């Protein structure tokens, strides 16, 4: 059974940085694209970023482009989300996602496994 476990969330001041990690197990990590989504209070879950199986291709939501960076370490079966220049509107539960193939295609679709999420709170 595939498990995705996020860590690294917490409280940070506006302008600060956090790095989220997601440790995956249960299938061959290096074969699958990975992604991050978030859900703010009272809002729907939204796409944040995605990375292909090799790490050679990435895609970001416009709202985080230039501030967030997704990366992966296939040897450690871990995907990361480096978040810089954080804003109060980045406050949300962040979810790790595993796609059903090595490339993410339309990154809002094709997720077959989800983590339980980690809370990021950005204070103004």
């Amino acid at each position: 059974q595939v498990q995705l476990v996020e860590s690294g969330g917490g409280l940070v001041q506006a302008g600060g940085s956090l790095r989220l990690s997601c440790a995956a197990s249960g299938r061959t990590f290096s074969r699958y694209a990975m992604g991050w989504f978030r859900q703010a209070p009272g809002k729907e879950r939204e796409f944040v970023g995605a990375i292909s199986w090799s790490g050679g291709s990435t895609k970001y939501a416009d709202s985080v482009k230039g501030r967030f960076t997704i990366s992966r370490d296939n040897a450690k079966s871990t995907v990361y989300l480096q978040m810089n220049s954080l804003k109060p509107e980045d406050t949300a539960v962040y979810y790790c996602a595993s796609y059903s193939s090595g490339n993410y295609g339309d990154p809002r679709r094709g997720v077959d496994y989800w983590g339980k999420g980690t809370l990021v709170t950005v204070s103004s």
Side-chain angles (χ1 to χ4, degrees):
Q1 183 175 355
V2 175
Q3 287 192 318
L4 303 175
V5 180
E6 303 96 336
S7 61
L11 175 64
V12 63
Q13 288 188 330
S17 298
L18 279 177
R19 188 176 83 154
L20 305 183
S21 300
C22 171
S25 61
R27 66 182 181 184
T28 305
F29 179 78
S30 60
R31 292 182 180 176
Y32 299 93
M34 298 294 294
W36 288 94
F37 289 70
R38 68 186 181 185
Q39 186 167 19
K43 296 188 176 181
E44 293 187 353
R45 189 176 299 187
E46 65 175 2
F47 166 74
V48 174
I51 187 167
S52 64
W53 66 275
S54 66
S57 179
T58 57
K59 189 174 181 69
Y60 298 95
D62 288 344
S63 59
V64 306
K65 203 171 294 183
R67 300 188 298 122
F68 290 13
T69 302
I70 189 170
S71 61
R72 65 190 296 158
D73 185 336
N74 285 344
K76 295 182 178 180
S77 298
T78 301
V79 62
Y80 304 97
L81 184 68
Q82 177 67 44
M83 306 185 293
N84 298 329
S85 302
L86 282 160
K87 305 174 181 180
E89 51 263 44
D90 294 317
T91 294
V93 176
Y94 283 72
Y95 296 91
C96 178
S98 181
Y99 292 88
S100 58
S101 67
N103 294 296
Y104 45 79
D106 177 350
R108 296 162 297 178
R109 304 173 65 180
V111 173
D112 57 357
Y113 292 99
W114 296 93
K116 293 184 178 181
T118 185
L119 176 64
V120 172
T121 304
V122 184
S123 63
S124 57

